[in-house]
């Protein structure tokens, strides 16, 4: 059995993340993709209440602060990661995010819940618990934003098998069913292949869009499978 907390402490050292300066450098690299893939779905009101499950070292907390959001909460099961994230937000707590979300927050008290690279780490039954708790804690019209391995894509293994603590991935069909069961009214998907481009966004986008259309057609012609989301990771936006 892999000790996740110990593993991620070692992984952070291997990735060179040992201080808030290292986190800020990563955020500088990722901010363009966050702006494209997260900002349009977040509340416009900068004082809206936002909870992040599995904060990691605090990259998203840092980015949210830079974008003007002030009412932020979150947690991480790794003490090392939570302590790093506390530099950007002292409200971050060390603990199980599902337990924390249920215990500390009243029903319909949050405007948004974000969990990036989270659901692939937990058993299916716990993911269903998380979705039900998240739906109950969100205000009407509130949004749940997830990111994880994209099981629709033939490239899912580049994400799913890229971490020894990953246990599962979901197709968009499966996620849609789980959202409806949990009480969400609407949901949308967006893979990170285009939105996650870091440099040369516009010319790469012009190249990738027709290439993806051609790839989609060839795949359908060969297998009758219509793949809409090709990226190895997928962003999910579920509205209560």
């Amino acid at each position: 059995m892999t000790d996740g907390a110990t593993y991620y402490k070692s992984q952070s050292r291997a990735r060179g993340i040992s201080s808030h300066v290292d986190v800020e450098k990563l955020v500088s690299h990722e901010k363009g993709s966050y702006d494209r893939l997260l900002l349009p779905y977040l509340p416009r009101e900068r004082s809206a209440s936002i909870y992040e499950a599995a904060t990691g070292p605090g990259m998203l907390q840092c980015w949210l602060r830079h974008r003007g959001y002030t009412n932020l909460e979150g947690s991480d099961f790794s003490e090392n990661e939570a302590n790093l994230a506390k530099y950007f937000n002292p409200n971050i707590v060390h603990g199980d995010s599902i337990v924390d979300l249920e215990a500390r927050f009243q029903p319909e008290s949050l405007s948004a819940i974000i969990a990036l690279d989270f659901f692939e780490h937990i058993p299916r039954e716990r993911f269903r618990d998380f979705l039900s708790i998240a739906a109950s804690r969100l205000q009407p019209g509130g949004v749940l934003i997830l990111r994880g391995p994209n099981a629709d894509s033939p490239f899912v293994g580049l994400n799913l098998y890229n971490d020894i603590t990953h246990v599962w991935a979901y197709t968009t069909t499966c996620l849609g069913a789980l959202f409806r069961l949990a009480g969400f009214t609407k949901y949308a998907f967006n893979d990170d292949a285009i939105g996650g481009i870091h440099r040369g966004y516009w010319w790469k986008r012009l190249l990738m869009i027709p290439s993806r259309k051609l790839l989609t057609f060839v795949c359908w012609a060969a297998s009758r499978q219509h793949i809409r989301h090709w990226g190895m990771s997928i962003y999910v936006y579920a509205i209560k």
Side-chain angles (χ1 to χ4, degrees):
M1 180 74 68
T2 300
D3 180 348
T6 301
Y7 173 76
Y8 277 108
K9 186 175 182 179
S10 300
Q11 187 189 61
S12 291
R13 289 198 302 267
R15 293 171 61 197
I17 304 174
S18 59
S19 72
H20 66 90
V21 175
D22 301 321
V23 175
E24 288 169 339
K25 288 179 181 178
L26 288 173
V27 172
S28 178
H29 182 67
E30 295 284 350
K31 64 182 179 181
S33 60
Y34 286 166
D35 287 346
R36 289 185 289 269
L37 293 165
L38 294 178
L39 197 56
Y41 301 91
L42 289 174
R44 293 185 179 181
E45 176 56 56
R46 288 324 198 241
S47 63
S49 54
I50 299 176
Y51 181 88
E52 183 188 5
T55 62
M59 289 178 60
L60 192 61
Q61 294 292 314
C62 177
W63 174 79
L64 287 166
R65 291 289 189 190
H66 283 315
R67 289 296 173 260
Y69 289 96
T70 58
N71 188 5
L72 304 175
E73 301 276 355
S75 61
D76 196 278
F77 86 116
S78 165
E79 186 175 9
N80 182 67
E81 303 274 85
N83 287 336
L84 281 172
K86 283 181 180 180
Y87 176 85
F88 305 103
N89 181 5
N91 294 331
I92 301 301
V93 301
H94 169 224
D96 184 310
S97 291
I98 301 176
V99 173
D100 183 59
L101 185 61
E102 184 175 30
R104 285 204 298 132
F105 298 91
Q106 297 297 315
E108 299 188 353
S109 61
L110 296 168
S111 299
I113 298 171
I114 308 173
L116 305 186
D117 307 326
F118 174 66
F119 64 68
E120 64 269 32
H121 295 273
I122 59 177
R124 288 164 285 179
E125 295 78 12
R126 288 298 283 158
F127 183 45
R128 289 193 63 182
D129 292 340
F130 170 72
L131 291 179
S132 296
I133 293 167
S136 71
R137 275 18 183 198
L138 284 170
Q139 301 164 358
V143 61
L144 170 65
I145 302 177
L146 306 174
R147 182 181 69 190
N150 174 20
D152 281 7
S153 171
F155 307 114
V156 64
L158 294 173
N159 184 329
L160 182 59
Y161 303 122
N162 200 37
D163 189 319
I164 61 174
T165 64
H166 289 181
V167 297
W168 202 252
Y170 300 87
T171 66
T172 54
T173 299
C174 182
L175 286 169
L178 291 173
F179 290 139
R180 290 191 295 272
L181 288 170
F184 290 93
T185 60
K186 295 185 294 184
Y187 50 88
F189 304 99
N190 191 5
D191 73 52
D192 70 342
I194 293 179
I197 295 172
H198 300 298
R199 296 180 180 176
Y201 174 75
W202 290 108
W203 74 263
K204 289 180 181 177
R205 182 176 182 272
L206 289 174
L207 176 64
M208 289 178 70
I209 289 175
S211 299
R212 286 160 65 94
K213 289 181 178 179
L214 177 60
L215 186 60
T216 298
F217 173 75
V218 170
C219 181
W220 175 83
S223 67
R224 290 300 188 268
Q225 297 299 315
H226 185 69
I227 299 176
R228 293 194 175 115
H229 307 288
W230 286 92
M232 65 179 186
S233 299
I234 195 163
Y235 280 80
V236 188
Y237 317 94
I239 308 297
K240 181 175 176 181

